[in-house]
mmCIF file with all atom_site columns, all heavy atoms in Angstrom:
data_model
loop_
_atom_site.group_PDB
_atom_site.id
_atom_site.type_symbol
_atom_site.label_atom_id
_atom_site.label_alt_id
_atom_site.label_comp_id
_atom_site.label_asym_id
_atom_site.label_entity_id
_atom_site.label_seq_id
_atom_site.pdbx_PDB_ins_code
_atom_site.Cartn_x
_atom_site.Cartn_y
_atom_site.Cartn_z
_atom_site.occupancy
_atom_site.B_iso_or_equiv
_atom_site.pdbx_formal_charge
_atom_site.auth_seq_id
_atom_site.auth_comp_id
_atom_site.auth_asym_id
_atom_site.auth_atom_id
_atom_site.pdbx_PDB_model_num
ATOM 1   N N   . VAL A 1 117 ? -91.759 31.677 -99.384 1.00 93.00 ? 117 VAL A N   1
ATOM 2   C CA  . VAL A 1 117 ? -90.627 31.562 -98.330 1.00 93.00 ? 117 VAL A CA  1
ATOM 3   C C   . VAL A 1 117 ? -90.404 32.996 -97.864 1.00 93.00 ? 117 VAL A C   1
ATOM 4   O O   . VAL A 1 117 ? -89.984 33.881 -98.728 1.00 93.00 ? 117 VAL A O   1
ATOM 5   C CB  . VAL A 1 117 ? -89.382 30.869 -98.824 1.00 93.00 ? 117 VAL A CB  1
ATOM 6   C CG1 . VAL A 1 117 ? -88.279 30.834 -97.915 1.00 93.00 ? 117 VAL A CG1 1
ATOM 7   C CG2 . VAL A 1 117 ? -89.768 29.550 -99.421 1.00 93.00 ? 117 VAL A CG2 1
ATOM 8   N N   . VAL A 1 118 ? -90.424 33.253 -96.516 1.00 94.00 ? 118 VAL A N   1
ATOM 9   C CA  . VAL A 1 118 ? -90.222 34.521 -95.995 1.00 94.00 ? 118 VAL A CA  1
ATOM 10  C C   . VAL A 1 118 ? -89.014 34.465 -95.025 1.00 94.00 ? 118 VAL A C   1
ATOM 11  O O   . VAL A 1 118 ? -88.942 33.602 -94.191 1.00 94.00 ? 118 VAL A O   1
ATOM 12  C CB  . VAL A 1 118 ? -91.397 35.003 -95.333 1.00 94.00 ? 118 VAL A CB  1
ATOM 13  C CG1 . VAL A 1 118 ? -91.309 36.412 -94.870 1.00 94.00 ? 118 VAL A CG1 1
ATOM 14  C CG2 . VAL A 1 118 ? -92.626 34.934 -96.272 1.00 94.00 ? 118 VAL A CG2 1
ATOM 15  N N   . ILE A 1 119 ? -88.198 35.553 -95.134 1.00 94.00 ? 119 ILE A N   1
ATOM 16  C CA  . ILE A 1 119 ? -87.034 35.572 -94.181 1.00 94.00 ? 119 ILE A CA  1
ATOM 17  C C   . ILE A 1 119 ? -87.239 36.956 -93.452 1.00 94.00 ? 119 ILE A C   1
ATOM 18  O O   . ILE A 1 119 ? -88.028 37.813 -93.830 1.00 94.00 ? 119 ILE A O   1
ATOM 19  C CB  . ILE A 1 119 ? -85.740 35.664 -95.037 1.00 94.00 ? 119 ILE A CB  1
ATOM 20  C CG1 . ILE A 1 119 ? -85.558 36.869 -95.719 1.00 94.00 ? 119 ILE A CG1 1
ATOM 21  C CG2 . ILE A 1 119 ? -85.543 34.343 -95.737 1.00 94.00 ? 119 ILE A CG2 1
ATOM 22  C CD1 . ILE A 1 119 ? -84.080 37.094 -96.213 1.00 94.00 ? 119 ILE A CD1 1
ATOM 23  N N   . GLY A 1 120 ? -86.408 37.059 -92.489 1.00 95.00 ? 120 GLY A N   1
ATOM 24  C CA  . GLY A 1 120 ? -86.342 38.405 -91.656 1.00 95.00 ? 120 GLY A CA  1
ATOM 25  C C   . GLY A 1 120 ? -86.735 38.347 -90.218 1.00 95.00 ? 120 GLY A C   1
ATOM 26  O O   . GLY A 1 120 ? -86.806 39.383 -89.555 1.00 95.00 ? 120 GLY A O   1
ATOM 27  N N   . GLY A 1 121 ? -86.816 37.104 -89.635 1.00 95.00 ? 121 GLY A N   1
ATOM 28  C CA  . GLY A 1 121 ? -87.310 36.980 -88.298 1.00 95.00 ? 121 GLY A CA  1
ATOM 29  C C   . GLY A 1 121 ? -86.161 36.740 -87.172 1.00 95.00 ? 121 GLY A C   1
ATOM 30  O O   . GLY A 1 121 ? -86.483 36.336 -86.085 1.00 95.00 ? 121 GLY A O   1
ATOM 31  N N   . THR A 1 122 ? -84.945 36.948 -87.630 1.00 96.00 ? 122 THR A N   1
ATOM 32  C CA  . THR A 1 122 ? -83.837 36.638 -86.732 1.00 96.00 ? 122 THR A CA  1
ATOM 33  C C   . THR A 1 122 ? -83.924 37.436 -85.446 1.00 96.00 ? 122 THR A C   1
ATOM 34  O O   . THR A 1 122 ? -83.517 36.863 -84.312 1.00 96.00 ? 122 THR A O   1
ATOM 35  C CB  . THR A 1 122 ? -82.501 36.951 -87.406 1.00 96.00 ? 122 THR A CB  1
ATOM 36  O OG1 . THR A 1 122 ? -82.532 38.260 -87.981 1.00 96.00 ? 122 THR A OG1 1
ATOM 37  C CG2 . THR A 1 122 ? -82.111 35.914 -88.433 1.00 96.00 ? 122 THR A CG2 1
ATOM 38  N N   . GLY A 1 123 ? -84.327 38.690 -85.454 1.00 96.00 ? 123 GLY A N   1
ATOM 39  C CA  . GLY A 1 123 ? -84.349 39.404 -84.253 1.00 96.00 ? 123 GLY A CA  1
ATOM 40  C C   . GLY A 1 123 ? -85.413 38.723 -83.253 1.00 96.00 ? 123 GLY A C   1
ATOM 41  O O   . GLY A 1 123 ? -85.008 38.832 -81.995 1.00 96.00 ? 123 GLY A O   1
ATOM 42  N N   . LYS A 1 124 ? -86.441 38.300 -83.736 1.00 96.00 ? 124 LYS A N   1
ATOM 43  C CA  . LYS A 1 124 ? -87.387 37.676 -82.842 1.00 96.00 ? 124 LYS A CA  1
ATOM 44  C C   . LYS A 1 124 ? -86.819 36.382 -82.185 1.00 96.00 ? 124 LYS A C   1
ATOM 45  O O   . LYS A 1 124 ? -87.098 36.083 -80.975 1.00 96.00 ? 124 LYS A O   1
ATOM 46  C CB  . LYS A 1 124 ? -88.685 37.400 -83.649 1.00 96.00 ? 124 LYS A CB  1
ATOM 47  C CG  . LYS A 1 124 ? -89.474 38.579 -84.129 1.00 96.00 ? 124 LYS A CG  1
ATOM 48  C CD  . LYS A 1 124 ? -90.681 38.132 -84.823 1.00 96.00 ? 124 LYS A CD  1
ATOM 49  C CE  . LYS A 1 124 ? -91.442 39.443 -85.297 1.00 96.00 ? 124 LYS A CE  1
ATOM 50  N NZ  . LYS A 1 124 ? -91.846 40.283 -84.258 1.00 96.00 ? 124 LYS A NZ  1
ATOM 51  N N   . LEU A 1 125 ? -86.083 35.609 -82.941 1.00 97.00 ? 125 LEU A N   1
ATOM 52  C CA  . LEU A 1 125 ? -85.455 34.487 -82.410 1.00 97.00 ? 125 LEU A CA  1
ATOM 53  C C   . LEU A 1 125 ? -84.394 34.766 -81.369 1.00 97.00 ? 125 LEU A C   1
ATOM 54  O O   . LEU A 1 125 ? -84.241 34.085 -80.282 1.00 97.00 ? 125 LEU A O   1
ATOM 55  C CB  . LEU A 1 125 ? -84.975 33.550 -83.531 1.00 97.00 ? 125 LEU A CB  1
ATOM 56  C CG  . LEU A 1 125 ? -84.249 32.231 -83.021 1.00 97.00 ? 125 LEU A CG  1
ATOM 57  C CD1 . LEU A 1 125 ? -85.271 31.426 -82.297 1.00 97.00 ? 125 LEU A CD1 1
ATOM 58  C CD2 . LEU A 1 125 ? -83.697 31.421 -84.176 1.00 97.00 ? 125 LEU A CD2 1
ATOM 59  N N   . VAL A 1 126 ? -83.624 35.798 -81.593 1.00 98.00 ? 126 VAL A N   1
ATOM 60  C CA  . VAL A 1 126 ? -82.679 36.343 -80.550 1.00 98.00 ? 126 VAL A CA  1
ATOM 61  C C   . VAL A 1 126 ? -83.364 36.707 -79.275 1.00 98.00 ? 126 VAL A C   1
ATOM 62  O O   . VAL A 1 126 ? -82.947 36.325 -78.170 1.00 98.00 ? 126 VAL A O   1
ATOM 63  C CB  . VAL A 1 126 ? -81.776 37.449 -81.206 1.00 98.00 ? 126 VAL A CB  1
ATOM 64  C CG1 . VAL A 1 126 ? -80.882 37.855 -80.012 1.00 98.00 ? 126 VAL A CG1 1
ATOM 65  C CG2 . VAL A 1 126 ? -80.984 37.038 -82.289 1.00 98.00 ? 126 VAL A CG2 1
ATOM 66  N N   . ASP A 1 127 ? -84.511 37.438 -79.543 1.00 97.00 ? 127 ASP A N   1
ATOM 67  C CA  . ASP A 1 127 ? -85.275 37.717 -78.268 1.00 97.00 ? 127 ASP A CA  1
ATOM 68  C C   . ASP A 1 127 ? -85.748 36.534 -77.522 1.00 97.00 ? 127 ASP A C   1
ATOM 69  O O   . ASP A 1 127 ? -85.834 36.458 -76.311 1.00 97.00 ? 127 ASP A O   1
ATOM 70  C CB  . ASP A 1 127 ? -86.498 38.648 -78.694 1.00 97.00 ? 127 ASP A CB  1
ATOM 71  C CG  . ASP A 1 127 ? -86.075 39.994 -79.104 1.00 97.00 ? 127 ASP A CG  1
ATOM 72  O OD1 . ASP A 1 127 ? -85.041 40.528 -78.701 1.00 97.00 ? 127 ASP A OD1 1
ATOM 73  O OD2 . ASP A 1 127 ? -86.873 40.617 -79.855 1.00 97.00 ? 127 ASP A OD2 1
ATOM 74  N N   . PHE A 1 128 ? -86.257 35.561 -78.330 1.00 97.00 ? 128 PHE A N   1
ATOM 75  C CA  . PHE A 1 128 ? -86.655 34.310 -77.711 1.00 97.00 ? 128 PHE A CA  1
ATOM 76  C C   . PHE A 1 128 ? -85.592 33.535 -76.876 1.00 97.00 ? 128 PHE A C   1
ATOM 77  O O   . PHE A 1 128 ? -85.860 33.158 -75.724 1.00 97.00 ? 128 PHE A O   1
ATOM 78  C CB  . PHE A 1 128 ? -87.243 33.375 -78.850 1.00 97.00 ? 128 PHE A CB  1
ATOM 79  C CG  . PHE A 1 128 ? -87.546 32.000 -78.336 1.00 97.00 ? 128 PHE A CG  1
ATOM 80  C CD1 . PHE A 1 128 ? -88.742 31.732 -77.688 1.00 97.00 ? 128 PHE A CD1 1
ATOM 81  C CD2 . PHE A 1 128 ? -86.687 31.038 -78.544 1.00 97.00 ? 128 PHE A CD2 1
ATOM 82  C CE1 . PHE A 1 128 ? -89.118 30.365 -77.243 1.00 97.00 ? 128 PHE A CE1 1
ATOM 83  C CE2 . PHE A 1 128 ? -86.960 29.599 -78.100 1.00 97.00 ? 128 PHE A CE2 1
ATOM 84  C CZ  . PHE A 1 128 ? -88.165 29.438 -77.416 1.00 97.00 ? 128 PHE A CZ  1
ATOM 85  N N   . ILE A 1 129 ? -84.384 33.557 -77.470 1.00 98.00 ? 129 ILE A N   1
ATOM 86  C CA  . ILE A 1 129 ? -83.304 32.895 -76.748 1.00 98.00 ? 129 ILE A CA  1
ATOM 87  C C   . ILE A 1 129 ? -82.979 33.622 -75.404 1.00 98.00 ? 129 ILE A C   1
ATOM 88  O O   . ILE A 1 129 ? -82.800 33.023 -74.454 1.00 98.00 ? 129 ILE A O   1
ATOM 89  C CB  . ILE A 1 129 ? -82.086 32.740 -77.691 1.00 98.00 ? 129 ILE A CB  1
ATOM 90  C CG1 . ILE A 1 129 ? -82.303 31.923 -78.831 1.00 98.00 ? 129 ILE A CG1 1
ATOM 91  C CG2 . ILE A 1 129 ? -80.871 32.448 -76.859 1.00 98.00 ? 129 ILE A CG2 1
ATOM 92  C CD1 . ILE A 1 129 ? -81.193 31.904 -79.879 1.00 98.00 ? 129 ILE A CD1 1
ATOM 93  N N   . GLU A 1 130 ? -82.945 34.992 -75.542 1.00 97.00 ? 130 GLU A N   1
ATOM 94  C CA  . GLU A 1 130 ? -82.504 35.695 -74.336 1.00 97.00 ? 130 GLU A CA  1
ATOM 95  C C   . GLU A 1 130 ? -83.634 35.745 -73.297 1.00 97.00 ? 130 GLU A C   1
ATOM 96  O O   . GLU A 1 130 ? -83.371 35.722 -72.030 1.00 97.00 ? 130 GLU A O   1
ATOM 97  C CB  . GLU A 1 130 ? -82.159 37.163 -74.888 1.00 97.00 ? 130 GLU A CB  1
ATOM 98  C CG  . GLU A 1 130 ? -81.687 38.074 -73.643 1.00 97.00 ? 130 GLU A CG  1
ATOM 99  C CD  . GLU A 1 130 ? -81.207 39.444 -74.036 1.00 97.00 ? 130 GLU A CD  1
ATOM 100 O OE1 . GLU A 1 130 ? -81.550 39.803 -75.223 1.00 97.00 ? 130 GLU A OE1 1
ATOM 101 O OE2 . GLU A 1 130 ? -80.598 40.091 -73.316 1.00 97.00 ? 130 GLU A OE2 1
ATOM 102 N N   . ASN A 1 131 ? -84.844 35.939 -73.638 1.00 96.00 ? 131 ASN A N   1
ATOM 103 C CA  . ASN A 1 131 ? -85.871 36.280 -72.724 1.00 96.00 ? 131 ASN A CA  1
ATOM 104 C C   . ASN A 1 131 ? -86.747 35.013 -72.416 1.00 96.00 ? 131 ASN A C   1
ATOM 105 O O   . ASN A 1 131 ? -87.528 35.138 -71.402 1.00 96.00 ? 131 ASN A O   1
ATOM 106 C CB  . ASN A 1 131 ? -86.848 37.390 -73.397 1.00 96.00 ? 131 ASN A CB  1
ATOM 107 C CG  . ASN A 1 131 ? -86.023 38.639 -73.572 1.00 96.00 ? 131 ASN A CG  1
ATOM 108 O OD1 . ASN A 1 131 ? -85.121 39.060 -72.806 1.00 96.00 ? 131 ASN A OD1 1
ATOM 109 N ND2 . ASN A 1 131 ? -86.349 39.303 -74.767 1.00 96.00 ? 131 ASN A ND2 1
ATOM 110 N N   . ALA A 1 132 ? -86.675 33.978 -73.199 1.00 97.00 ? 132 ALA A N   1
ATOM 111 C CA  . ALA A 1 132 ? -87.527 32.857 -72.839 1.00 97.00 ? 132 ALA A CA  1
ATOM 112 C C   . ALA A 1 132 ? -86.735 31.551 -72.662 1.00 97.00 ? 132 ALA A C   1
ATOM 113 O O   . ALA A 1 132 ? -86.817 30.949 -71.629 1.00 97.00 ? 132 ALA A O   1
ATOM 114 C CB  . ALA A 1 132 ? -88.584 32.634 -74.040 1.00 97.00 ? 132 ALA A CB  1
ATOM 115 N N   . LEU A 1 133 ? -85.804 31.240 -73.600 1.00 98.00 ? 133 LEU A N   1
ATOM 116 C CA  . LEU A 1 133 ? -85.124 29.943 -73.549 1.00 98.00 ? 133 LEU A CA  1
ATOM 117 C C   . LEU A 1 133 ? -84.148 29.961 -72.382 1.00 98.00 ? 133 LEU A C   1
ATOM 118 O O   . LEU A 1 133 ? -84.128 28.979 -71.590 1.00 98.00 ? 133 LEU A O   1
ATOM 119 C CB  . LEU A 1 133 ? -84.411 29.748 -74.835 1.00 98.00 ? 133 LEU A CB  1
ATOM 120 C CG  . LEU A 1 133 ? -83.579 28.442 -74.861 1.00 98.00 ? 133 LEU A CG  1
ATOM 121 C CD1 . LEU A 1 133 ? -84.507 27.136 -74.720 1.00 98.00 ? 133 LEU A CD1 1
ATOM 122 C CD2 . LEU A 1 133 ? -82.831 28.339 -76.196 1.00 98.00 ? 133 LEU A CD2 1
ATOM 123 N N   . ILE A 1 134 ? -83.190 30.871 -72.361 1.00 98.00 ? 134 ILE A N   1
ATOM 124 C CA  . ILE A 1 134 ? -82.182 30.890 -71.331 1.00 98.00 ? 134 ILE A CA  1
ATOM 125 C C   . ILE A 1 134 ? -82.818 30.916 -69.857 1.00 98.00 ? 134 ILE A C   1
ATOM 126 O O   . ILE A 1 134 ? -82.446 30.062 -68.982 1.00 98.00 ? 134 ILE A O   1
ATOM 127 C CB  . ILE A 1 134 ? -81.138 31.856 -71.635 1.00 98.00 ? 134 ILE A CB  1
ATOM 128 C CG1 . ILE A 1 134 ? -80.259 31.557 -72.740 1.00 98.00 ? 134 ILE A CG1 1
ATOM 129 C CG2 . ILE A 1 134 ? -80.193 31.992 -70.416 1.00 98.00 ? 134 ILE A CG2 1
ATOM 130 C CD1 . ILE A 1 134 ? -79.326 32.644 -73.177 1.00 98.00 ? 134 ILE A CD1 1
ATOM 131 N N   . PRO A 1 135 ? -83.792 31.822 -69.708 1.00 97.00 ? 135 PRO A N   1
ATOM 132 C CA  . PRO A 1 135 ? -84.298 31.923 -68.298 1.00 97.00 ? 135 PRO A CA  1
ATOM 133 C C   . PRO A 1 135 ? -85.144 30.539 -67.973 1.00 97.00 ? 135 PRO A C   1
ATOM 134 O O   . PRO A 1 135 ? -84.982 30.062 -66.882 1.00 97.00 ? 135 PRO A O   1
ATOM 135 C CB  . PRO A 1 135 ? -85.384 33.031 -68.403 1.00 97.00 ? 135 PRO A CB  1
ATOM 136 C CG  . PRO A 1 135 ? -84.729 33.935 -69.484 1.00 97.00 ? 135 PRO A CG  1
ATOM 137 C CD  . PRO A 1 135 ? -84.191 32.966 -70.508 1.00 97.00 ? 135 PRO A CD  1
ATOM 138 N N   . ARG A 1 136 ? -85.742 29.839 -69.010 1.00 97.00 ? 136 ARG A N   1
ATOM 139 C CA  . ARG A 1 136 ? -86.373 28.589 -68.800 1.00 97.00 ? 136 ARG A CA  1
ATOM 140 C C   . ARG A 1 136 ? -85.467 27.578 -68.331 1.00 97.00 ? 136 ARG A C   1
ATOM 141 O O   . ARG A 1 136 ? -85.701 26.841 -67.322 1.00 97.00 ? 136 ARG A O   1
ATOM 142 C CB  . ARG A 1 136 ? -87.232 28.248 -69.921 1.00 97.00 ? 136 ARG A CB  1
ATOM 143 C CG  . ARG A 1 136 ? -87.921 26.832 -69.829 1.00 97.00 ? 136 ARG A CG  1
ATOM 144 C CD  . ARG A 1 136 ? -88.970 26.844 -68.822 1.00 97.00 ? 136 ARG A CD  1
ATOM 145 N NE  . ARG A 1 136 ? -89.632 25.564 -68.621 1.00 97.00 ? 136 ARG A NE  1
ATOM 146 C CZ  . ARG A 1 136 ? -90.548 25.082 -69.447 1.00 97.00 ? 136 ARG A CZ  1
ATOM 147 N NH1 . ARG A 1 136 ? -91.120 25.911 -70.370 1.00 97.00 ? 136 ARG A NH1 1
ATOM 148 N NH2 . ARG A 1 136 ? -91.069 23.931 -69.292 1.00 97.00 ? 136 ARG A NH2 1
ATOM 149 N N   . ILE A 1 137 ? -84.347 27.464 -69.013 1.00 98.00 ? 137 ILE A N   1
ATOM 150 C CA  . ILE A 1 137 ? -83.414 26.455 -68.622 1.00 98.00 ? 137 ILE A CA  1
ATOM 151 C C   . ILE A 1 137 ? -82.661 26.776 -67.291 1.00 98.00 ? 137 ILE A C   1
ATOM 152 O O   . ILE A 1 137 ? -82.443 25.878 -66.505 1.00 98.00 ? 137 ILE A O   1
ATOM 153 C CB  . ILE A 1 137 ? -82.350 26.322 -69.689 1.00 98.00 ? 137 ILE A CB  1
ATOM 154 C CG1 . ILE A 1 137 ? -82.969 25.825 -71.042 1.00 98.00 ? 137 ILE A CG1 1
ATOM 155 C CG2 . ILE A 1 137 ? -81.202 25.278 -69.391 1.00 98.00 ? 137 ILE A CG2 1
ATOM 156 C CD1 . ILE A 1 137 ? -82.050 25.956 -72.146 1.00 98.00 ? 137 ILE A CD1 1
#
Side-chain angles (χ1 to χ4, degrees):
V117 178
V118 183
I119 68 165
T122 48
K124 294 182 182 298
L125 183 55
V126 176
D127 288 339
F128 170 79
I129 291 172
E130 181 174 17
N131 301 319
L133 178 63
I134 294 177
R136 174 65 181 276
I137 299 171

